Amino acid sequence: MSATGLSPAGEADSLYGAPVIGADETVASIGAALAGVVLTPARREWRLAAAGALALAATCAALRFVLPVPALGAGGAGWWIGLASGCLMICGLLLLAGVEWRCGIGRLAQTAALFGASLATLFPASVHPMSLAALLAASAGLWGAALLPDLALLCDRLAEGGPAGASSRRGRFYRLAACGFRGSAGQWRVWDGACRGLALLGILAAVAVLTDLAVATALRSDRHDTLLPVALLVEAVLSGAGLTAALAVALRRVQGLDGLVTGRHLDILGRLILALGLAALYCHVTECVAAFLYGGAAERTHLARRVLGDGAPAFWMLMLVGLLPSQLFWIGTVRRKATALGLIGALVAIGLGADHGLIARSAVAPADAAFSQALLAAFGPAAAALCAIGVFALGLFLVFRLVPPVSIVETRQLALARNSGAASDAAGSEPKPQGGRLAATFRSEAGLSEAVRSLTVLDRPPRLDAFGPVPMPEAAEALHRVGWRLRWAALGGAGLGAAAYLAVRAAEGVRAFDGAGAAVLSWAVLAVPVLSAATAGGTLGLVVALCYALRREAGAAPSSALAGRFVLTVVPSADGFNPAALLRRLNGLPEGAGRPLAVDGIAAAGPRR
C-alpha cells in the first residue's frame, strides 16, 4: 500500500484488464476538464432538459395537493428511501475501505443520495421522522464536506480570470462555501478524517432508516419473514448501484469524461449489480418457497395473492424488471457495454420500486368509489413517481452546473499514483514571497517531505507549512500535524442528539403516563429513533468542528497550490534566519529527494528531470 492509500499500479489493473484512469490524464488536465464542465456556459440542450424537468417538478407539486395521501404514498417514500440509503452506503463503504476507483462514481452516488433523501420527504413516509431526518442530514453532510477542496479550486479558477471573476456571484458563493480551504497539510488531514467520520455516520443512518422501514413494512403488510430486513437492505444497495451505473453511463456520454469514468468502472459496477441481484433473488425465492412448503393456510393465501392475485403486477414487475435483467451481467460483453449497463441499471432502480408497491396496496381506491376518484387513485401514483423522477433530474442538472460531477481531488490523487507524468505539467504560476515568507516548489509530495525533514533538524528551524493539490499524509507527518480530535466532536454531538430525543420522548410519556405512555418509552420503540438522533447529532457536531478546524489550519497559502503545485512555505524565525543558507541547504539535497524545482520563482540549481 502506498502513502496515498492506493495499491501499487499493476496489482488491480490485471484483475479486470482495463485501466482505472486514462493513461494521459494529469493533474492539470483533470482540473481543466472538470472545472470546464462547471464554468463553461450552459449549452442549449442543458437548458431544454432543465426546463422539461422543471415542468415535471411543478406537476409533482400540484399532484401533492390533488392526490389522496394513501395514493401518493404508495411505495413512493420507501422507493426513494431505498435509493438514497443504497447510494449512501455505496459511497460510504468505498470511502472507508479506501477503494481507489471510487473517484469516478463517488460524487454521483453522494448527489443521488442527497436528492433521494430530499424527495422521500415529499411522500407520506411510514418511517419515523427522525430516521428520515438523519438520512437527509448524513447525506448532506458527506456531500458538502467532500466538495470543499473542489469548491476552493473553482474559486481560484474564477480568480485567475481577474477581479471580475473573483467578485462575481459565483465566485463569492464558492469562496464562502469552501469554508477557508486552501490546501494546507493540516487542512487535508482534517478534511480526510471528517469525510471518513461522515461516511461512517451515513452508513449508520442508512441502516437505521432501513431497519425502521422493515419494521413498518411488517406492521402494515402480510410479510413477516425474518429475511425481510435483509431483503430490504440488499434491494436498497442494489437500487443504489443501478442508479449510479445509469448516471455514470450518462455522464460519460454527455460530458465525454471517458478518461475519468473508464470501462473499468462500468465492469465493476456490472459485477456489483450481478452479485446484489443474486442476493435479492435468493431472499425473494426463499421467502416464497418457505411460505409454500412450510407456511400455514394464511401464509399460502397471502403468497397466492402476491403471485397471482391483486399483487401480481407489482410482484412480476419486481422479478422481470428489477431482478432478472441483472443476471445478464454473467455475460462479460454485456457487462462491459456502456449502453447495456446504463439501461439495465435504470431498469433495476425502477423495478425495485415495485416491491414497495406490494407493501402499499392500501393506495388502491375502493370499488364503490366514484370513477374519477378511482382513476386518480389508480394512475396517480405512477404520475407522481414520474414527476418525482423529473424533480430528481432537475436537481442533478442544476447541481452539476455548480459543482463537478466527479471529484477533482480524488481523481488527481489516483492520477498521481497511476500515471508517472501526472504532475509534470502542473498548472499555475510560481509562488511569490509574501510577508517575508519563502516558498519552494516541488514536483511531488515525497520531495517536499524530504525537504521538511532536512530543515527540521536545524538548531533553530524556521516555521514550515506545506500546501498541495491532493491530501499529503507524508508531509503532514513530517510537519507533525497531528490533526484535530474530530471524533470527540462527533461523539459529543451524537450524545447530545440522543439525549435531546430521549428528553422529548420522556416528556411525552410523562404527559400521557398510561399504557400508551409506557409503550412510547419502551426500548423497542426508542432503539431506532435514538440511533437516528445520535447520527444526526454526530453529523452536525462533525460538520461544525470541520469548519472551525479548517479556519484554524488555513495558513498563508500560495495561489499555485490547489492548481497543482506542491509548495513548502518557510516563515523566518525572529533571529538567525539566513535565506541564502537555507537555499544552499535545499539545493544541496539530491534531485528527487528534497531539492526544489524553484524557490520564490527562481529555478533551483542542478539539473531537472
Side-chain angles (χ1 to χ4, degrees):
M1 189 70 71
S2 64
T4 60
L6 303 176
S7 58
E11 283 187 8
D13 284 347
S14 62
L15 183 59
Y16 300 111
V20 75
I21 190 169
D24 298 331
E25 297 296 339
T26 63
V27 169
S29 68
I30 291 169
L34 293 177
V37 170
V38 177
L39 299 180
T40 54
R43 293 180 296 179
R44 182 170 178 267
E45 50 266 32
W46 283 87
R47 296 192 182 97
L48 291 177
L54 182 62
L56 289 177
T59 306
C60 182
L63 287 175
R64 181 68 176 86
F65 296 98
V66 173
L67 285 177
V69 170
L72 185 65
W79 184 47
W80 286 110
I81 288 173
L83 285 171
S85 302
C87 291
L88 188 59
M89 292 183 70
I90 287 174
C91 60
L93 288 172
L94 293 180
L95 195 154
L96 289 177
V99 177
E100 57 182 6
W101 51 266
R102 72 179 186 275
C103 54
I105 62 173
R107 180 69 50 77
L108 296 175
Q110 292 166 5
T111 309
L114 175 60
F115 281 97
S118 302
L119 286 169
T121 61
L122 297 178
F123 295 84
S126 57
V127 300
H128 196 282
M130 181 55 66
S131 300
L132 190 55
L135 179 67
L136 182 59
S139 303
L142 180 58
W143 180 80
L147 268 175
L148 293 179
D150 290 359
L151 296 177
L153 176 62
L154 293 175
C155 181
D156 285 355
R157 287 297 177 101
L158 289 174
E160 290 174 2
S167 60
S168 63
R169 285 183 296 178
R170 180 173 281 198
R172 292 195 301 269
F173 167 76
Y174 288 147
R175 185 168 56 253
L176 179 64
C179 296
F181 193 93
R182 302 303 304 155
S184 70
Q187 285 184 328
W188 281 121
R189 173 157 287 193
V190 168
W191 173 80
D192 184 68
C195 287
R196 291 179 178 275
L198 290 169
L200 178 59
L201 290 170
I203 293 172
L204 292 176
V207 172
V209 74
L210 290 175
T211 303
D212 198 353
L213 184 63
V215 173
T217 299
L219 293 175
R220 296 174 54 214
S221 70
D222 55 4
R223 297 175 60 183
H224 306 106
D225 193 271
T226 54
L227 275 178
L228 176 61
V230 179
L232 288 178
L233 178 63
V234 172
E235 287 179 359
V237 183
L238 175 59
S239 61
L243 179 59
T244 303
L247 293 177
V249 171
L251 178 66
R252 292 176 86 239
R253 186 173 183 85
V254 174
Q255 297 295 345
L257 300 177
D258 295 5
L260 306 181
V261 184
T262 66
R264 169 101 173 271
H265 294 97
L266 305 186
D267 185 73
I268 296 175
L269 284 170
R271 292 171 185 264
L272 182 62
I273 293 173
L274 173 62
L276 293 169
L278 279 174
L281 270 174
Y282 169 80
C283 291
H284 284 282
V285 171
T286 302
E287 182 182 1
C288 293
V289 170
F292 180 75
L293 295 179
Y294 308 110
E299 291 179 299
R300 292 182 181 181
T301 302
H302 294 154
L303 176 62
R305 289 181 56 195
R306 190 156 60 243
V307 177
L308 302 173
D310 55 353
F315 177 81
W316 291 111
M317 180 179 177
L318 168 67
M319 289 294 175
L320 299 179
V321 178
L323 298 181
L324 291 180
S326 65
Q327 301 310 300
L328 292 175
F329 289 146
W330 284 107
I331 307 172
T333 55
V334 176
R335 188 173 63 245
R336 298 184 184 95
K337 192 172 180 59
T339 304
L341 178 68
L343 178 61
I344 293 176
L347 288 176
V348 166
I350 294 172
L352 288 175
D355 196 23
H356 299 285
L358 279 171
I359 302 167
R361 287 196 299 268
S362 60
V364 179
D368 57 348
F371 175 76
S372 58
Q373 187 179 9
L375 188 65
L376 189 64
F379 294 98
L386 180 62
C387 294
I389 293 174
V391 177
F392 182 83
L394 171 65
L396 290 181
F397 280 123
L398 294 179
V399 165
F400 290 147
R401 287 302 305 167
L402 290 175
V403 301
V406 177
S407 173
I408 299 176
V409 170
E410 292 179 346
T411 311
R412 281 177 162 183
Q413 191 177 8
L414 181 60
L416 288 172
R418 293 284 175 178
N419 298 339
S420 57
S424 60
D425 62 343
S429 59
E430 298 291 350
K432 304 299 181 182
Q434 299 178 355
R437 295 178 173 87
L438 298 179
T441 307
F442 296 84
R443 188 183 305 276
S444 65
E445 180 198 359
L448 185 149
S449 302
E450 289 296 331
V452 169
R453 296 186 185 98
S454 68
L455 295 179
T456 54
V457 299
L458 297 174
D459 294 336
R460 293 182 179 179
R463 187 155 58 90
L464 307 174
D465 204 351
F467 299 85
V470 296
M472 302 182 291
E474 186 179 355
E477 183 178 356
L479 290 168
H480 304 292
R481 296 288 195 273
V482 296
W484 290 70
R485 301 287 183 177
L486 295 177
R487 66 174 65 92
W488 297 112
L491 291 174
L496 289 176
Y501 179 79
L502 286 174
V504 171
R505 296 309 300 267
E508 293 177 355
V510 168
R511 285 198 299 268
F513 192 77
D514 50 17
V520 167
L521 299 177
S522 65
W523 71 268
V525 174
L526 292 177
V528 173
V530 166
L531 176 60
S532 299
T535 302
T539 300
L540 180 60
L542 195 53
V543 169
V544 172
L546 171 63
C547 294
Y548 178 76
L550 290 179
R551 298 287 183 182
R552 292 291 302 270
E553 295 282 350
S559 60
S560 60
L562 287 173
R565 304 299 181 101
F566 292 91
V567 181
L568 175 66
T569 59
V570 183
V571 180
S573 54
D575 54 353
F577 180 73
N578 188 340
L582 175 65
L583 183 59
R584 287 195 300 271
R585 185 176 184 87
L586 289 175
N587 285 335
L589 296 173
E591 184 181 1
R595 184 189 302 176
L597 299 175
V599 178
D600 287 343
I602 303 174
R608 294 193 204 174
R609 289 185 293 177

